[in-house]
Structures are given as structure tokens and as C-alpha cells.
Amino acid sequence: MAAKRKKKIRVRQESLGTPSKWRLQHGDFTEAVREADPETGAPVLHRRAIDTLGMMLANGTITQEMHDAGGCFRALFRRALLDGMVRSPLVRLPGKSADALSERTIDARRRVADALDALGGHDSAAGSCAWHVVGLEMSVREWAMRQGWGGRPVSPPQAQGMLVATLAVLAGHFGLVPRRTAA
């Protein structure tokens, strides 16, 4: 009998020099910039993920104050540990429980709650938009179609308008725009 040859199956591997298909479906990237690694001097390609608020600022959809207010809310959200990422401290302090929150985290949670109150509460359209789009960094389109407001999908143009209004209120809340007084 003649020996049968096994057919080689070629698996197409993704290039490690480009973002994976999974990562690309979650947002665009800028063109790669070739630079040298500061520590080793080896050439590397840097790609930057495109930020929704950064894109809106570049397009003129929002003002610098609105962009800064979104950045402030996002920083507070991360500091408050509300982004759903489980973290474990690298250094354990004796006598401390693993569930104890730091004063910094508690203060950040209070400030996030105050900002959500200024937006009409967590269940309001602006509160939901701030939580999901600004805090959790979900895309506007993804939030509009998946989460929306009150469990109902929202059209993407309406969702973008909701985000602009949310950022305007946050800019006022964080004191980034001067308050007008009645004359």
C-alpha cells in the first residue's frame, strides 16, 4: 500500500505588528509612528487608540472645557474604582483588610455621585451617558444601541447630542466655565 501523506493545514497567523481584529472592532487607531524605545533603543511602532472625546474636540463638536470636564469625570471614575476592573495591591499592608477602601477612593466616589446628581441622577439620560460613555469609555454608538436610556436604544445622532449636553453640564459642575449671573 502506498503511504498516505498528511495534508498540512496552514493556520493564518495575525501580524503582531497590527492591532488584532478584536481590538479593531472596539475603535480606530492612529497611523503607526516608528520610534526608538527609550530604555533599549530598539525600534518600535506606536499606535494610539482614538479617544471619543478627543475626536469630538478635534471636529469642533465640543469645546476644550467640555473635553476637560470629561477627562476630570473619567479620572474620578477610575480613582473611585468604578470601572469594573478587579485590582489587587502589589504591596499588602499588615492589619489592613483587602476590602477596605482608601480615603482617596471614597472621596472620588463621593465626587462621582455629586457629578451624577448634577446630571439628574444615575438613571437620567445624562447620568447614563456619563457613566457608560465617559466613565466606562464605551463608544457613543455602542452605548446608544446597547444601553441607551431607560433600556431603550437611542439613535446615534441623538446619543451624540446627549453626550454634548452631558459634557456641558459637567463643565459647569466642575467650574470649568464661568457661571452667568442675572443682571
Side-chain angles (χ1 to χ4, degrees), residues 64-105:
Q64 183 64 49
E65 291 81 8
M66 292 173 171
H67 180 269
D68 294 346
C72 185
F73 184 84
R74 183 179 292 153
L76 285 172
F77 198 85
R78 286 182 184 154
R79 197 176 313 142
L81 304 178
L82 297 172
D83 55 3
M85 296 179 66
V86 178
R87 295 184 180 105
S88 178
L90 296 176
V91 178
R92 305 262 184 200
L93 299 174
K96 295 282 185 181
S97 85
D99 296 330
L101 295 175
S102 70
E103 290 294 322
R104 181 179 177 208
T105 302

Side-chain angles (χ1 to χ4, degrees), residues 53 56 61-71 73 115 118-119 126 129-130 134 159-179:
L53 299 181
M56 291 175 76
T61 309
I62 61 173
T63 64
Q64 183 64 49
E65 291 81 8
M66 292 173 171
H67 180 269
D68 294 346
F73 184 84
L119 292 168
C129 185
V134 182
Q160 187 173 0
M162 293 166 112
L163 177 58
V164 171
T166 298
L167 293 171
V169 172
L170 284 175
H173 174 72
F174 290 126
L176 299 173
V177 291
R179 295 184 186 232

